[in-house]
Amino acid sequence: MNDLDQYYRVLGLLPGASREEITQAYKDLAFIWHPDRIPKDNPRLLQKAEEKIKEINQAREQLRSIQPRGQNQNTQHKNTQHKHTQQQNTQQQNTQYRNTQYQNTQQQNTQYRNTQYQNTQQQNTHYAGNYGGNYAPNPTGPYSDASRYQSPQPQPSQSYRQAAPQAPDLSGSNFKGASLKEKDFSGRNLSNANLSEADLSDTFLHNINLTGANLQKANLFRANLLGACLINANLRETNLIGADLSGADLSGADLTGAKIGYGDRVMVKLTGARLTGTILPDGTVHS
């Protein structure tokens, strides 16, 4: 991989991304990793954030430097044509990429549903050793006293990216009260899992499938949930301060009593999130 490809990878972009896409990707990542948002009493995480922000800054500057602005009308016209061509190619690549992801997700979910219970028993035995917990699958649902959340599992939204086939299927697993701080569950399938009261602060959960999951009273402080599927999820009294839910699907989710900021200041990022039928923290339903 050459340096240019690495810079695109740092910002989570495909090669040929536009200046606007580079700027937006930089803003999204800076929102998560800016050192000013890290508690000063956590030097290890603070050092990690400083290294990340340097990496993000370098990637942005390098990618912007290869897109110089024109100095006369002819140059500007050529740059405009080149930019439009790049945008069209990038849009086509992104469309093909999303379509491929969605088709793969449908195929993988079909396989997961056919073997869900058997695989969960075998895989959770191995998985428990990684986190020191005695976790077990919960085939009867994430919590029996809240039947309203045990609705049939909807199809994940197009923004949800399923994990690779070799990654364990954790749907229906019981991680109640588990310490999963700073873990990486990106793209994993945790539909209908019980994560109530779990510590998921600073955890990477982008493109994760949390359809129907129980996250009541969980700590999602500064968690990365970009593009996550949270359809019909239970987020009652969940701490969402500093979390990034950009592009997430929260259709039908229950956020009653969830912590989203201080006073009138909202400190959750919801850019592009779907909120159809979502029960908001104040108990009202988003239309």
Side-chain angles (χ1 to χ4, degrees):
M1 180 184 297
N2 58 40
D3 291 341
L4 188 59
D5 289 338
Q6 178 61 25
Y7 294 140
Y8 281 113
R9 181 183 179 88
V10 167
L11 295 181
L13 297 171
L14 292 173
S18 66
R19 179 181 289 266
E20 290 76 11
E21 291 173 321
I22 292 170
T23 300
Q24 187 58 55
Y26 168 79
K27 290 180 179 179
D28 290 343
L29 292 170
F31 176 83
I32 299 170
W33 287 109
H34 200 287
D36 290 346
R37 302 181 66 228
I38 308 299
K40 302 304 180 184
D41 58 354
N42 192 338
R44 186 188 63 79
L45 189 57
L46 183 61
Q47 181 181 0
K48 183 178 180 179
E50 290 173 347
E51 293 172 355
K52 284 284 186 181
I53 204 70
K54 288 179 182 178
E55 194 175 273
I56 295 164
N57 284 332
Q58 181 183 21
R60 181 189 64 165
E61 294 305 319
Q62 292 296 327
L63 292 178
R64 286 168 64 92
S65 68
I66 65 171
Q67 297 180 330
R69 299 184 181 275
Q71 298 182 0
N72 53 57
Q73 292 183 348
N74 290 334
T75 302
Q76 287 177 345
H77 179 67
K78 291 178 181 178
N79 284 343
T80 299
Q81 289 180 324
H82 179 64
K83 179 180 177 181
H84 288 166
T85 301
Q86 281 185 320
Q87 288 177 336
Q88 291 174 354
N89 291 339
T90 301
Q91 288 174 344
Q92 291 174 356
Q93 291 172 352
N94 286 339
T95 299
Q96 293 174 346
Y97 181 64
R98 286 194 298 267
N99 289 341
T100 300
Q101 284 182 320
Y102 183 67
Q103 292 172 357
N104 289 341
T105 298
Q106 286 184 314
Q107 294 173 356
Q108 291 163 0
N109 281 342
T110 298
Q111 294 174 348
Y112 286 144
R113 284 193 296 269
N114 291 339
T115 60
Q116 178 177 342
Y117 181 68
Q118 181 180 357
N119 287 345
T120 301
Q121 283 185 312
Q122 297 173 351
Q123 293 161 351
N124 273 279
T125 300
H126 169 74
Y127 193 78
N130 294 335
Y131 295 102
N134 186 20
Y135 308 130
N138 185 359
T140 60
Y143 43 101
S144 58
D145 60 342
S147 58
R148 57 181 293 193
Y149 297 107
Q150 296 179 3
S151 56
Q153 178 178 332
Q155 288 294 325
S157 63
Q158 198 164 356
S159 61
Y160 164 61
R161 174 176 59 83
Q162 180 65 47
Q166 64 270 22
D169 175 19
L170 301 175
S171 57
S173 299
N174 184 7
F175 294 110
K176 181 177 180 179
S179 177
L180 303 174
K181 184 177 181 180
E182 299 180 25
K183 302 300 181 184
D184 189 350
F185 289 94
S186 303
R188 303 290 285 276
N189 181 18
L190 280 116
S191 58
N192 295 315
N194 185 2
L195 292 156
S196 59
E197 303 178 16
D199 184 3
L200 293 160
S201 56
D202 294 301
T203 301
F204 287 88
L205 302 167
H206 57 277
N207 294 313
I208 191 172
N209 184 3
L210 288 167
T211 301
N214 179 11
L215 292 150
Q216 185 169 3
K217 294 185 179 180
N219 182 14
L220 288 167
F221 177 69
R222 260 198 324 254
N224 181 345
L225 288 144
L226 276 79
C229 183
L230 288 152
I231 297 173
N232 292 336
N234 177 12
L235 293 160
R236 283 172 167 262
E237 302 178 67
T238 301
N239 181 13
L240 293 170
I241 294 176
D244 192 346
L245 287 153
S246 300
D249 192 343
L250 290 154
S251 302
D254 188 349
L255 279 74
T256 303
K259 299 176 184 178
I260 61 173
Y262 300 102
D264 295 332
R265 185 182 180 189
V266 177
M267 300 180 67
V268 178
K269 194 168 185 180
L270 291 165
T271 305
R274 296 183 61 183
L275 299 171
T276 305
T278 301
I279 302 176
L280 303 178
D282 61 1
T284 60
V285 179
H286 192 281
S287 58

